[in-house]
Amino acid sequence: MIAKPFKILGIQQIAIGGENKDRLKKLWVDMLGFEYKSTFVSERENVDEDICAIGFGAHEIEVDLMMPLDIEKKPAVHQTPLNHIGLWVDDLPKAVEWLSANGLRFAPGGIRKGAGGHDITFVHPKGNDEFPISGEGVLIELVQAPPEVIAGLRS
């Protein structure tokens, strides 16, 4: 393989789904001490999500607590409970281009603004004939790192 034109810098978030985000919040905020930051609601993505975090600056990690707006609709953000993991990347467009060219399957939707305001895209949990490399059952979000995170995490 040729050299990658991007670098994964670290974990940006972990998204946890459930049928009742108040119960999730009881654990993550009230008991474990994560800070509630904001709420994101999207009918398109069938999600009511509380964004919580621990740490500061480049070392802040989000735990997104998600429940479906409609339990009967897709995507079913509460199944599985560990919904997805997010990874900071230093150059998202280059990462998508290179990874796609090397057989990685992305979920529909392309690069777009995510709940935290950063550009994001998702690696599909299952491969296919055209793109055989996947998250092997895990949904992975690639998140464009802002300059201060790139500076804080680049080694």
Side-chain angles (χ1 to χ4, degrees):
M1 268 193 217
I2 60 172
K4 293 185 287 290
F6 65 94
K7 184 175 181 181
I8 298 297
L9 301 170
I11 294 175
Q12 184 267 337
Q13 69 173 268
I14 298 168
I16 299 171
E19 293 182 14
N20 182 329
K21 73 176 182 176
D22 290 333
R23 291 177 55 146
L24 294 170
K25 212 169 171 182
K26 179 77 172 164
L27 171 64
W28 290 94
V29 175
D30 298 344
M31 309 266 316
L32 298 178
F34 279 66
E35 178 186 353
Y36 166 82
K37 304 285 263 193
S38 63
T39 296
F40 174 77
V41 177
S42 171
E43 288 187 33
R44 176 179 173 234
E45 297 185 26
N46 190 35
V47 68
D48 179 355
E49 174 180 343
D50 283 348
I51 299 168
C52 304
I54 197 162
F56 300 95
H59 301 284
E60 180 180 85
I61 297 175
E62 287 182 12
V63 172
D64 297 346
L65 308 176
M66 304 170 25
M67 71 179 205
L69 292 171
D70 184 336
I71 206 157
E72 302 298 322
K73 289 186 178 177
K74 300 285 183 195
V77 298
H78 62 298
Q79 300 173 345
T80 60
L82 177 55
N83 185 274
H84 66 271
I85 185 167
L87 302 174
W88 287 123
V89 62
D90 65 348
D91 191 323
L92 186 58
K94 283 184 182 175
V96 169
E97 180 182 358
W98 189 88
L99 292 166
S100 294
N102 284 280
L104 184 71
R105 183 178 182 198
F106 284 91
I111 296 175
R112 59 196 181 275
K113 286 285 182 217
H118 306 290
D119 284 350
I120 58 122
T121 195
F122 287 93
V123 173
H124 202 287
K126 296 179 183 176
N128 61 18
D129 289 339
E130 184 179 2
F131 296 99
I133 303 170
S134 70
E136 294 300 320
V138 176
L139 185 62
I140 301 168
E141 183 177 9
L142 299 181
V143 183
Q144 175 61 57
E148 62 273 14
V149 171
I150 293 171
L153 293 177
R154 189 169 263 159
S155 53

